[in-house]
Structures are given as C-alpha cells and as structure tokens.
Amino acid sequence: RLAACLTDHRRMYNAALEERREAWRMCRTGVRYGDQSAQLKHIRAADSEGRGRWSFTSRRSTGG
C-alpha cells in the first residue's frame, strides 16, 4: 500500500507540475497552489483508477 501511495502521489505531483509548466509556456501565467488544491475534490470524484483512496490532506500535501 505504501508503494501504491507513493506512486499515486508522484503522478499527482508530476501532473500538477506539468499544468504549471504548460500555463507558463502557453500564456505566461502561473497556476497557484490554492487553485490546484481546489481541483482535488473533482479529481477524486472522477478518479476511475481509485487514487481517490488517499486522504485529501495527504494529496494536498503532495504539492498540487
């Protein structure tokens, strides 16, 4: 379970980082931590792969 948790958190972090990079590359604008954190509720609800099993606080602490 720990390995799965770490893998899921790594994927979430990388996706958040990619969102920030793309926003900067395309629009020269930043994506705030608070905005990404607010997306987590919707991401967890639509998660067909079950990554919503990790707590919101744990996911939010991942960095995005």
Side-chain angles (χ1 to χ4, degrees):
R1 286 191 45 88
L2 180 58
C5 180
L6 291 173
T7 296
D8 289 347
H9 279 69
R10 177 181 46 82
R11 289 180 180 155
M12 177 67 72
Y13 177 85
N14 288 339
L17 181 59
E18 182 65 22
E19 180 183 21
R20 289 173 178 228
R21 286 179 174 166
E22 284 298 305
W24 183 256
R25 185 182 68 80
M26 296 177 75
C27 303
R28 295 290 188 240
T29 187
V31 176
R32 298 179 321 165
Y33 167 81
D35 295 333
Q36 288 184 317
S37 182
Q39 294 174 23
L40 284 176
K41 179 180 178 183
H42 303 290
I43 290 169
R44 287 175 54 122
D47 185 7
S48 63
E49 296 179 31
R51 286 188 295 267
R53 64 186 169 256
W54 313 118
S55 73
F56 176 82
T57 303
S58 173
R59 298 309 293 256
R60 187 180 65 209
S61 296
T62 298

